[in-house]
Amino acid sequence: MNAEWWLVRHGLTAWNAERRYQGHSDPPLLPDEASSLAELRRELAGVNFAAVYASDLRRCRETLAWARPDLLDGAQLDPRLREMNFGRWEGQTYEMLKDDKRYRAWIDDPQAGTPPGGESWQAFQARVSEVGEELLMQTIALAGEAPNSNFGSGSLAIDPLRKPAFLPPTLRLHPPSPQPASQPAESVRLLIVTHGGVISMLCSLLQPGLGFWDTRVGPGGVQRLFFHGEGEPDMEKEGHDE
C-alpha cells in the first residue's frame, strides 16, 4: 500500500503577523494573503486527493478555498483539527503576558500547566491522537486493505511519560522512493488543512523519537507524510518552513 498525507498549515492572519495567540479564535486570513498562497496553489494543482479534511476555523477554510476551491464543497470539517485552545490568552502576545507568573510557568513547561479557560497539553494530545487514529483507519480503508487486528478503534491510551505511537504494525512511514516507469506507484492521498500545533503533534505521534518542537511548518506550508506497508518509520518534509 502507498499512501500520502498532505498536511497544510493555514495562511497568514493579522494575528499571526502580530504574534498573537490564536487557538480557537477565528480571525480571517489577511486580505492580501492570496498572493502569498500562490506557491501552495501551484503545489496542490492537479493533485488527486481521495479525501479532504480541514479544521472548521475560518483561516483553514479560506486557505482551502484559495488553494483548491474545487475541493471546498467536499471537505470534511472537523473541530478536532483545531489549534490548541489557549483560553484567555488568545489575542494576546508574549509581551502582554510575560509578567504573568502562570504564563511564565506554562512557557517553561507546557505539559505541566493549562492556559486559564483553555486546554491542557494532555487534552490537546488526546484530541489530535483520536482524530489521527481515525484518519489512519480511513487511509487504510481507502487503500482497500483490512486494518491490522492490533490497531483497534476508539481513543488511544496516552502514557504521559511516553509519546504514543499509533502506527499499526502493517503501516509504516517512509520518504518516497523512485518507481520504475513501467510500474507507477498508485498512492492514496489525503489533504488535511489544519494548524501548526496540530501538524507538529501528529508528526510527533506518528514518529516515536520526534519531538513536538522538531516540526515547524510556516503559514501556507506543507508537511507530506508517506506511508508504505513495510520497513522502519521515517518522514520527509516539504513546503515553506519558517
Side-chain angles (χ1 to χ4, degrees):
M1 183 194 76
N2 290 319
E4 302 174 14
W5 286 7
W6 293 45
L7 302 172
V8 174
R9 184 181 174 189
H10 62 79
L12 199 69
T13 70
W15 282 19
N16 282 131
E18 297 164 1
R19 305 187 68 83
R20 298 178 186 272
Y21 286 97
Q22 294 187 106
H24 284 204
S25 296
D26 209 14
L29 295 182
L30 288 169
D32 59 352
E33 181 61 1
S35 59
S36 299
L37 292 174
E39 184 177 347
L40 175 63
R41 187 167 189 165
R42 286 192 296 270
E43 189 168 358
L44 300 185
V47 179
N48 181 45
F49 292 102
V52 181
Y53 297 86
S55 160
D56 62 337
L57 294 179
R58 183 176 177 180
R59 54 193 184 272
C60 291
R61 291 184 282 111
E62 290 182 346
T63 297
L64 179 58
W66 279 115
R68 282 293 299 266
D70 58 310
L71 300 179
L72 187 60
D73 288 344
Q76 301 182 53
L77 304 181
D78 194 326
R80 293 174 300 174
L81 290 170
R82 289 184 179 190
E83 185 58 276
M84 186 177 188
N85 184 350
F86 299 111
R88 293 198 292 275
W89 293 340
E90 293 186 7
Q92 301 191 63
T93 66
Y94 171 83
E95 288 299 321
M96 297 166 67
L97 293 167
K98 65 181 181 180
D99 295 326
D100 184 323
K101 291 183 179 179
R102 184 171 180 178
Y103 174 73
R104 295 295 308 185
W106 179 78
I107 285 289
D108 291 338
D109 187 0
Q111 298 190 40
T114 302
E119 187 174 27
S120 71
W121 183 276
Q122 292 73 25
F124 176 54
Q125 185 183 59
R127 166 165 63 86
V128 175
S129 181
E130 178 184 334
V131 71
E133 181 175 7
E134 290 183 17
L135 290 170
L136 278 172
M137 295 299 290
Q138 178 69 357
T139 301
I140 294 170
L142 288 169
E145 297 196 5
N148 187 279
S149 59
N150 293 325
F151 187 53
S153 60
S155 299
L156 300 169
I158 302 295
D159 180 348
L161 301 179
R162 175 178 173 274
K163 293 183 177 68
F166 57 90
L167 278 176
T170 56
L171 191 63
R172 290 294 182 261
L173 191 60
H174 281 288
S177 56
Q179 298 290 327
S182 59
Q183 297 180 358
E186 293 293 335
S187 290
V188 171
R189 297 183 185 89
L190 270 63
L191 178 62
I192 304 163
V193 184
T194 182
H195 308 263
V198 175
I199 294 173
S200 294
M201 183 63 78
L202 278 172
C203 291
S204 68
L205 291 169
L206 282 164
Q207 181 143 325
L210 186 74
F212 177 86
W213 306 108
D214 294 334
T215 302
R216 296 184 64 192
V217 179
V222 183
Q223 169 81 69
R224 292 174 64 192
L225 306 183
F226 301 85
F227 301 89
H228 297 287
E230 58 184 19
E232 294 300 322
D234 200 356
M235 182 171 61
E236 178 181 281
K237 186 188 305 184
E238 299 183 5
H240 330 140
D241 300 350
E242 285 186 326

